[in-house]
Amino acid sequence: MRAWQRVAGHVGSGQLNYSAFETLRDGRRVEIRALRPDDRADLIAAVARSSAQSLYRRFFAVKRDFAEPEIEFFLNVDFVDHVALVTVVDESGRPVIAGGARYIVIEPGKAEVAFAVVDRYQGQGLGAALMHHLAAIAREAGLKELIAEVLPDNVPMLKVFEKSGLARSMKREPQVVHVALRVC
Ligand SMILES: CC(C)(COP(=O)(O)OP(=O)(O)OC[C@H]1O[C@@H](n2cnc3c(N)ncnc32)[C@H](O)[C@@H]1OP(=O)(O)O)[C@@H](O)C(=O)NCCC(=O)NCCS
């Protein structure tokens, strides 16, 4: 059974307005939407709430402090060569970023993806849902392949790729697994 269900969704005028709603394993309703420049504080808060292991798996280093140019890079996405989605959950009536995923086009037709879900929200299907939406955007944009570099012990990330239903190739090296997914 799928970890989440699409209950509603639409693509607005351009992917800058992308928004869809999903239901997670625990019944929680979440919005998956385009990252906005005004998400800055919430994005930094999400990093602060992430464990050392999660940060290491995302950045290949336990990185909590980011220089201003890095923050600008993460926030100012053009939704063409750099696409970023966030998942927003309700915490006591307040919308909070629980995770996100992005791709960056590295050559024509090919983009690199990266994911991060705050620990307390992992295992609820957010990773799978982000994968689904990111792949749909990539397909609509005419991309052919999404690639990722994953630490060999990162079972949740490898499972998300495996369960995406996309044709997949993997090259295992001692320190990293190179994953390539066909999106067309
Ligand atoms: C990888 C990651 C994005 C997956 O997100 P997620 O929301 O947990 O993913 P899902 O809930 O869709 O789960 C995917 C699978 O991993 C499993 N899983 C999730 N968290 C797990 C954990 N801590 N231990 C073991 N399995 C786990 C889930 O059970 C699911 O498998 P199943 O469908 O067979 O049950 C998330 O774990 C994360 O942010 N990790 C740290 C950052 C990272 O690794 N980034 C990847 C860099 S490319």
Side-chain angles (χ1 to χ4, degrees), residues 110 145-148 161 166-171 177-182:
K110 187 194 279 196
E145 194 173 53
L146 295 175
I147 63 158
F161 292 143
L166 300 170
R168 176 176 48 108
S169 66
M170 291 208 298
K171 190 171 140 222
V177 183
H178 302 272
V179 181
L181 305 163
R182 298 293 302 172

Side-chain angles (χ1 to χ4, degrees), residues 15 51 57 61-62 64 71 96 117 124 131 144 175-176:
Q15 309 290 20
S51 69
R57 285 177 163 177
V62 182
R64 289 193 191 276
I71 297 173
V96 166
V117 172
Q124 291 293 328
M131 180 76 247
K144 296 193 172 4
Q175 308 298 330
V176 70

Side-chain angles (χ1 to χ4, degrees), residues 24 26 28 30 39-59 64 85-91 94-101 114-128 130 156-157:
L24 298 185
D26 65 1
R28 190 189 294 257
V30 299
D39 286 325
R40 181 191 176 99
D42 276 351
L43 206 58
I44 290 170
V47 171
R49 298 171 89 191
S50 297
S51 69
Q53 185 192 54
S54 286
L55 294 175
Y56 190 79
R57 285 177 163 177
R58 168 63 180 85
F59 299 107
R64 289 193 191 276
L85 299 174
V86 288
T87 58
V88 180
V89 298
D90 180 277
E91 278 187 13
R94 190 174 158 265
V96 166
I97 291 180
F115 292 70
V117 172
V118 173
D119 292 60
R120 62 181 288 194
Y121 293 106
Q122 290 176 11
Q124 291 293 328
L126 280 181
L130 284 163
M157 191 70 255

Side-chain angles (χ1 to χ4, degrees), residues 4-168:
W4 49 271
Q5 267 187 308
R6 178 186 284 229
V7 292
H10 73 274
V11 179
S13 55
Q15 309 290 20
L16 283 164
N17 299 319
Y18 194 91
S19 172
F21 289 87
E22 304 285 356
T23 303
L24 298 185
R25 282 183 183 163
D26 65 1
R28 190 189 294 257
R29 196 158 183 264
V30 299
E31 183 183 15
I32 296 190
R33 64 157 169 80
L35 176 73
R36 302 190 296 245
D38 66 359
D39 286 325
R40 181 191 176 99
D42 276 351
L43 206 58
I44 290 170
V47 171
R49 298 171 89 191
S50 297
S51 69
Q53 185 192 54
S54 286
L55 294 175
Y56 190 79
R57 285 177 163 177
R58 168 63 180 85
F59 299 107
F60 288 39
V62 182
K63 196 165 165 55
R64 289 193 191 276
D65 298 317
F66 295 86
E68 192 54 36
E70 288 179 294
I71 297 173
E72 289 296 314
F73 175 78
F74 282 124
L75 279 174
N76 293 311
V77 297
D78 61 6
F79 262 82
V80 179
D81 289 330
H82 190 170
V83 170
L85 299 174
V86 288
T87 58
V88 180
V89 298
D90 180 277
E91 278 187 13
S92 309
R94 190 174 158 265
V96 166
I97 291 180
R102 66 183 65 223
Y103 73 64
I104 296 173
V105 176
I106 53 171
E107 61 183 69
K110 187 194 279 196
E112 181 162 6
V113 292
F115 292 70
V117 172
V118 173
D119 292 60
R120 62 181 288 194
Y121 293 106
Q122 290 176 11
Q124 291 293 328
L126 280 181
L130 284 163
M131 180 76 247
H132 172 82
H133 288 279
L134 211 52
I137 292 171
R139 198 173 297 117
E140 198 171 311
L143 295 186
K144 296 193 172 4
E145 194 173 53
L146 295 175
I147 63 158
E149 292 195 343
V150 185
L151 291 169
D153 70 350
N154 192 351
V155 175
M157 191 70 255
L158 293 170
K159 268 196 185 177
V160 167
F161 292 143
E162 184 190 328
K163 294 192 163 188
S164 68
L166 300 170
R168 176 176 48 108

